[in-house]
Amino acid sequence: MNLGGLNDLYRQLIIDHAQHPHHHGALPAASQTITLNNPTCGDVIKLAVTFADDRIEQIAFSGEGCSISQASASMMTDLVQGQTLTQAKKEIQVFLEMLMENPAATQDDPDELLGDAAVLAAVIKFPARIKCATLAWKALEQAISEEEAHE
Amino acid sequence: MVNDIAIARNDFPILKEVINGQPLAYLDNAATTQKPQAVIDALVHYYQHDNANIHRGVYTLAERATEQYEAVRQQVATFINAASGAEIVFTRGTTTSLNWVAQTYAPTILQAGDEIVISIMEHHSNLVPWQQVSQRTGAKLRYVELTASGELDLAQYGDLLNARTKIVSLTHVSNVLGTINPIKKMTAMAHTVGATVVIDGAQATGHFPVDVQELDCDFYAFSGHKMYGPTGIGVLYGREALLAAMPPAEFGGEMINLVTRQKTDFKPAPAKFEAGTMPIAQVIGLGAAISYLQHLGWPAIIAQEQQLTAQAYQELTAITGVTIYGPTEPTRRSSVLSFNLQGLHPHDLATVLDLQGVAIRAGHHCAQPLMTDLGVSATARASFAFYNNQADLQQLVTAVQAAKEFFKL
């Protein structure tokens, strides 16, 4: 049985986050709520964010999705809660570049910047699953840009 | 016959592929089927020996291409027992066939307040076009619902039908549940209120014989690539009188009789629907696929697919945590099995299976309203063709068990 490749993708850290996601739920007083879906598979993420003083004060997510999308959302919310918008935007960019076919010659080290989420670099070997990993990050990108447009 | 079927697998060169170090177990036949060498050869032969544009040239080569193209129209008519080749329109696929009926024929008979009936198990291609027509014409879109066993509720369907029902459009076989719908009976019911009946046959035509005169439906749509033929070619069957009344969806070369500065006279059907250069090679490939199926014979195809489906149903159900959707009775379903493994998203399951060489589909299968109805966001789906064998089935079952162990479910 060829389960070696499986261990590459489903590290224990990813399974832990997927089975016990952090920041899972709703934020009744959210400044921005973004619902994004992955039209190829029907997965949905609802991301709620409260902004204060150019920072992400509170963040939570809900919705339906696979282990990769749930773990990614859990890791991302861990990472960005309390951060400045500038910092969060930088991390979104590094995360998305990490999973691009031809990553731009960036000086940034995902391992240093992204915390647990850096393990999701393994998803690049599973092209059909990249959209699962990026869904939450794209929702946050949209939440921030709508918040900034709002100001 | 069983021996013939076992040998037939060798006609499909792609089935010898090795995927992630494992033999390929191709179980996504409801999405598209693989192609036998006979179909591949027909495409190559056409381009090497017969390629020319049809209906235009006066030279020998063009005549040869035209003859082959039109011979397939006749072959398709015989294949689904249409009254004549004039009732066979070549299209890009089932989606185009259904869209043309919805966008050009339906508006000629629909008024605000009329009703269109479809079912909750429709693929988006037999759902979204009707939503669009409904929005454009003010006709109301109504749904046939499911029974607990995943079949269409005929009593509720009977209640839906009334004098305002102008169109009934149903799938012959569900691409998610595998349910084979009683189309002959449902068509007769629709005809008692004078409705036009459109059937989506995408999941039917490669799996059992279809007789449009026996079904008595008014339109029937299907695709070549789901019945061992090439992509890019499909069929719209329509009764002669209906095709005569149906306006063309596209205009251009070859569909005209006479063009003057301000107006154009169209050719009669089916030519008026086939504007521009058609996918000639694909039509010829479709002809080769039909010949191939006829050579194998339906009894052997049906027996093999039913045996695999019944056994897979049994072996998957035996795994604790597996839920299979749709009818339990093997003779009431086609070779499509949608299922979920409790605690694991179907996407994760499909990735695990892929690493074992097993190709299945995971997702909403272009049937989101049905997913909502079933109370799931997605399912895994294994779908069999006659060329699948015991080894494919065991590879599937073993891989599902391995997924369960890996995720400690």
Side-chain angles (χ1 to χ4, degrees), chain A residues 11 17 19 32 49 51 57 84 86 92 95 108 117 119 122 128 147 150:
Chain A
R11 308 273 176 85
H17 272 278
Q19 292 180 341
Q32 294 290 339
V49 193
F51 296 98
E57 194 179 57
T84 64
T86 312
I92 292 168
F95 184 86
D108 302 298
V119 304
E147 179 68 13
H150 191 68

Short mmCIF file of all heavy atoms in Angstrom, two decimals, chain A residues 11 17 19 32 49 51 57 84 86 92 95 108 117 119 122 128 147 150:
data_model
loop_
_atom_site.label_atom_id
_atom_site.label_comp_id
_atom_site.label_asym_id
_atom_site.label_seq_id
_atom_site.Cartn_x
_atom_site.Cartn_y
_atom_site.Cartn_z
N ARG A 11 0.25 15.62 7.21
CA ARG A 11 1.08 15.59 8.43
C ARG A 11 0.14 15.61 9.63
O ARG A 11 -0.98 16.12 9.56
CB ARG A 11 1.95 16.85 8.50
CG ARG A 11 2.76 17.12 7.26
CD ARG A 11 4.09 16.39 7.30
NE ARG A 11 4.82 16.59 6.07
CZ ARG A 11 5.61 17.65 5.83
NH1 ARG A 11 5.76 18.59 6.74
NH2 ARG A 11 6.24 17.75 4.68
N HIS A 17 -5.27 20.08 13.23
CA HIS A 17 -6.01 21.32 12.97
C HIS A 17 -7.37 21.03 12.32
O HIS A 17 -8.36 21.68 12.64
CB HIS A 17 -5.21 22.25 12.04
CG HIS A 17 -4.27 23.16 12.78
ND1 HIS A 17 -4.70 24.35 13.35
CD2 HIS A 17 -2.95 23.09 13.03
CE1 HIS A 17 -3.66 24.96 13.92
NE2 HIS A 17 -2.57 24.21 13.74
N GLN A 19 -9.21 18.29 12.55
CA GLN A 19 -10.16 17.63 13.45
C GLN A 19 -10.55 18.50 14.64
O GLN A 19 -11.64 18.35 15.18
CB GLN A 19 -9.59 16.27 13.90
CG GLN A 19 -9.53 15.29 12.70
CD GLN A 19 -8.99 13.92 13.07
OE1 GLN A 19 -8.33 13.75 14.11
NE2 GLN A 19 -9.23 12.94 12.20
N GLN A 32 -16.42 42.59 9.02
CA GLN A 32 -16.55 42.05 7.67
C GLN A 32 -16.85 40.55 7.77
O GLN A 32 -16.21 39.84 8.55
CB GLN A 32 -15.25 42.22 6.87
CG GLN A 32 -14.86 43.64 6.56
CD GLN A 32 -15.77 44.30 5.53
OE1 GLN A 32 -16.46 43.63 4.76
NE2 GLN A 32 -15.79 45.63 5.53
N VAL A 49 -14.45 38.75 10.51
CA VAL A 49 -13.30 39.47 11.07
C VAL A 49 -13.77 40.76 11.75
O VAL A 49 -14.62 41.47 11.21
CB VAL A 49 -12.29 39.84 9.95
CG1 VAL A 49 -10.96 40.29 10.57
CG2 VAL A 49 -12.06 38.71 8.98
N PHE A 51 -12.18 44.28 12.91
CA PHE A 51 -10.98 45.11 12.77
C PHE A 51 -11.00 46.23 13.80
O PHE A 51 -12.06 46.77 14.12
CB PHE A 51 -10.93 45.74 11.36
CG PHE A 51 -10.80 44.73 10.26
CD1 PHE A 51 -11.92 44.30 9.54
CD2 PHE A 51 -9.55 44.20 9.92
CE1 PHE A 51 -11.79 43.39 8.51
CE2 PHE A 51 -9.43 43.28 8.88
CZ PHE A 51 -10.54 42.87 8.18
N GLU A 57 -8.66 42.24 15.12
CA GLU A 57 -8.88 42.07 16.55
C GLU A 57 -9.39 40.65 16.84
O GLU A 57 -8.86 39.97 17.71
CB GLU A 57 -9.90 43.12 17.02
CG GLU A 57 -9.96 43.25 18.52
CD GLU A 57 -10.97 44.32 18.92
OE1 GLU A 57 -12.15 44.21 18.52
OE2 GLU A 57 -10.58 45.27 19.60
N THR A 84 -1.30 43.35 12.61
CA THR A 84 -1.66 44.53 11.81
C THR A 84 -2.06 44.07 10.41
O THR A 84 -1.69 42.99 9.97
CB THR A 84 -0.46 45.49 11.65
OG1 THR A 84 0.55 44.80 10.91
CG2 THR A 84 0.09 45.95 13.00
N THR A 86 -1.05 45.28 7.66
CA THR A 86 0.16 45.21 6.82
C THR A 86 0.83 43.85 6.96
O THR A 86 1.19 43.21 5.96
CB THR A 86 1.15 46.32 7.23
OG1 THR A 86 0.42 47.53 7.34
CG2 THR A 86 2.28 46.46 6.25
N ILE A 92 -0.42 36.72 3.67
CA ILE A 92 -1.31 36.17 2.63
C ILE A 92 -0.52 36.03 1.33
O ILE A 92 -0.56 34.99 0.67
CB ILE A 92 -2.54 37.08 2.42
CG1 ILE A 92 -3.45 37.05 3.65
CG2 ILE A 92 -3.33 36.66 1.17
CD1 ILE A 92 -4.53 38.13 3.65
N PHE A 95 1.96 33.20 1.53
CA PHE A 95 1.26 31.91 1.49
C PHE A 95 0.83 31.57 0.06
O PHE A 95 1.06 30.46 -0.43
CB PHE A 95 0.04 31.91 2.42
CG PHE A 95 -0.65 30.58 2.49
CD1 PHE A 95 -0.22 29.59 3.38
CD2 PHE A 95 -1.72 30.27 1.65
CE1 PHE A 95 -0.84 28.35 3.43
CE2 PHE A 95 -2.34 29.03 1.69
CZ PHE A 95 -1.90 28.07 2.58
N ASP A 108 11.33 36.15 1.22
CA ASP A 108 10.66 35.80 2.47
C ASP A 108 10.65 34.29 2.68
O ASP A 108 10.40 33.52 1.76
CB ASP A 108 9.23 36.33 2.45
CG ASP A 108 9.21 37.84 2.25
OD1 ASP A 108 9.74 38.53 3.12
OD2 ASP A 108 8.70 38.28 1.20
N ALA A 117 1.13 27.15 9.34
CA ALA A 117 0.65 27.12 7.95
C ALA A 117 1.75 26.81 6.94
O ALA A 117 1.47 26.42 5.81
CB ALA A 117 -0.03 28.44 7.60
N VAL A 119 3.53 24.29 6.84
CA VAL A 119 3.51 22.87 6.45
C VAL A 119 2.63 22.64 5.23
O VAL A 119 2.74 21.62 4.55
CB VAL A 119 3.06 21.90 7.58
CG1 VAL A 119 3.91 22.06 8.82
CG2 VAL A 119 1.59 22.05 7.89
N ALA A 122 3.41 21.46 1.37
CA ALA A 122 3.34 20.11 0.78
C ALA A 122 2.20 19.98 -0.23
O ALA A 122 2.24 19.11 -1.10
CB ALA A 122 3.15 19.08 1.89
N ALA A 128 -4.54 19.38 -7.50
CA ALA A 128 -6.01 19.44 -7.41
C ALA A 128 -6.46 19.98 -6.06
O ALA A 128 -7.62 20.34 -5.89
CB ALA A 128 -6.61 18.06 -7.66
N GLU A 147 -12.50 46.12 3.92
CA GLU A 147 -12.37 46.98 5.11
C GLU A 147 -11.62 48.27 4.74
O GLU A 147 -12.01 49.37 5.12
CB GLU A 147 -11.64 46.23 6.22
CG GLU A 147 -11.43 47.03 7.52
CD GLU A 147 -12.73 47.33 8.27
OE1 GLU A 147 -13.77 46.72 7.94
OE2 GLU A 147 -12.69 48.20 9.16
N HIS A 150 -13.67 50.56 2.68
CA HIS A 150 -14.73 51.09 3.53
C HIS A 150 -14.27 52.34 4.28
O HIS A 150 -15.04 53.24 4.57
CB HIS A 150 -15.11 49.99 4.51
CG HIS A 150 -16.34 50.25 5.29
ND1 HIS A 150 -17.60 50.28 4.71
CD2 HIS A 150 -16.53 50.51 6.62
CE1 HIS A 150 -18.50 50.54 5.65
NE2 HIS A 150 -17.88 50.69 6.80
#
